[in-house]
């Protein structure tokens, strides 16, 4: 092996000896430029790319946080509207239809309204956005939205489900009277309108899309 290397080097040295000095000079300059470019990539270009990538990640994270804030604000406002609806019913149940119509007019994402007492019995026919009513179910005692709101006194948000109109979720809030839970109000919420708000957030590189806790795609800029 040593003999092969020695022979190869002797061949190259003999060839270089017969090269024109200008060619040797140009070759040296070329090698210098290549070495300079390699060093420049290592000490400047690659770190610059890393900083650009880090900046891009920060921008995307900021956009995602803004989207999250809008989601939480939307849910908080929806809970407040349903709680206000419950307070109005406490004052006057005779205005149930009129009060419900006000919510449907002000909230295009509210698909229906259901009101149950503390025992789980539905107090009024369930109102739908299209003006129709339903007597089913008569009792929601075993429904998870009722158990969370009435028995635990908590606000409830269901996993996202899909309707012919698009993604939706169910929420419920307890109705309080005299410091005790007097009933529950539940509603299905159209997620399409909310996504329209979130999708307005600009992202310089990439796109915002939404998945639920199961990894199911809920909303994407490409609605198809």
């Amino acid at each position: 092996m040593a003999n092969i290397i020695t022979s190869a080097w002797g061949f190259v040295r003999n060839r270089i000896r017969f090269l024109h000095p200008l060619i040797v000079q140009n070759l040296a300059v070329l090698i210098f430029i290549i070495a300079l470019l390699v060093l420049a990539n290592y000490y400047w270009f690659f770190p610059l790319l890393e900083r650009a990538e880090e900046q891009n990640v920060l921008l995307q994270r900021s956009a995602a946080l803004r989207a999250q804030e809008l989601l939480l604000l939307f849910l908080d406002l929806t809970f407040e509207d349903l709680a206000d609806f419950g307070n109005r019913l406490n004052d006057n149940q005779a205005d149930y239809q009129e009060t419900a119509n006000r919510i449907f007019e002000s909230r295009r994402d509210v698909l229906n309204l259901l009101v149950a007492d503390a025992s789980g019995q539905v107090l009024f026919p369930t109102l739908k956005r299209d003006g129709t009513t339903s007597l089913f179910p008569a009792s929601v005692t075993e429904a998870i939205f009722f158990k969370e709101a009435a028995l635990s006194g908590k606000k409830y948000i269901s996993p996202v489900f899909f309707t012919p109109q698009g993604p939706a979720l169910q929420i419920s809030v307890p109705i309080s009277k005299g410091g005790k839970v007097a009933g529950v109000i539940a509603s299905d919420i159209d997620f399409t309108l909310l996504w329209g708000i979130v999708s307005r957030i600009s992202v310089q590189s990439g796109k915002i899309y939404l998945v639920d806790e199961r990894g199911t795609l809920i909303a994407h800029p490409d609605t198809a």
Side-chain angles (χ1 to χ4, degrees):
M1 185 67 179
N3 293 334
I4 295 175
I5 296 175
T6 303
S7 300
W9 169 243
F11 175 80
V12 172
R13 185 175 56 185
N14 291 332
R15 290 295 180 182
I16 293 176
R17 184 184 306 170
F18 294 104
L19 290 177
H20 193 279
L22 184 59
I23 296 177
V24 175
Q25 181 180 356
N26 291 338
L27 183 61
V29 172
L30 181 61
I31 294 174
F32 174 77
I33 292 174
I34 292 174
L36 189 62
L37 290 175
V38 171
L39 290 175
N41 283 332
Y42 183 79
Y43 288 104
W44 176 75
F45 186 66
F46 290 153
L48 183 64
L49 287 179
E50 290 178 358
R51 287 195 296 271
E53 183 177 0
E54 291 174 357
Q55 182 66 21
N56 188 41
V57 170
L58 290 175
L59 291 174
Q60 290 179 331
R61 185 174 300 169
S62 176
L65 289 175
R66 289 200 302 273
Q68 179 181 353
E69 290 174 357
L70 284 175
L71 289 172
L72 295 176
L73 177 61
F74 165 82
L75 291 173
D76 286 342
L77 291 175
T78 305
F79 282 129
E80 289 179 7
D81 288 340
L82 290 185
D84 181 66
F85 178 58
N87 292 332
R88 291 176 183 272
L89 288 182
N90 279 334
D91 296 335
N92 187 1
Q93 293 189 1
D95 291 338
Y96 171 66
Q97 180 79 49
E98 180 182 351
T99 305
N101 287 337
R102 291 178 183 174
I103 288 187
F104 287 136
E105 291 173 1
S106 62
R107 295 292 303 263
R108 292 186 299 156
D109 53 327
V110 174
L111 299 178
N112 53 42
L113 289 168
L114 180 149
V115 181
D117 62 18
S119 66
Q121 298 302 307
V122 177
L123 297 178
F124 307 96
T126 301
L127 294 177
K128 299 181 181 180
R129 181 167 192 83
D130 59 8
T132 60
T133 59
S134 173
L135 298 177
F136 179 82
S139 174
V140 291
T141 306
E142 299 302 319
I144 186 172
F145 74 82
F146 174 78
K147 292 180 179 180
E148 285 291 322
L151 303 182
S152 303
K154 299 178 182 179
K155 301 172 183 176
Y156 170 75
I157 305 175
S158 76
V160 174
F161 57 92
F162 290 88
T163 69
Q165 292 73 34
L169 50 81
Q170 184 182 51
I171 65 174
S172 63
V173 294
I175 304 173
S176 298
K177 189 173 184 179
K180 297 181 179 180
V181 176
V184 170
I185 294 181
S187 175
D188 293 341
I189 304 298
D190 180 6
F191 217 68
T192 307
L193 294 177
L194 172 62
W195 174 244
I197 297 173
V198 174
S199 63
R200 294 192 185 100
I201 299 176
S202 61
V203 184
Q204 292 185 0
S205 176
K207 60 186 67 175
I208 295 179
Y209 58 92
L210 217 59
V211 296
D212 64 12
E213 72 277 6
R214 296 165 295 187
T216 304
L217 183 63
I218 300 169
H220 192 278
D222 182 2
T223 55

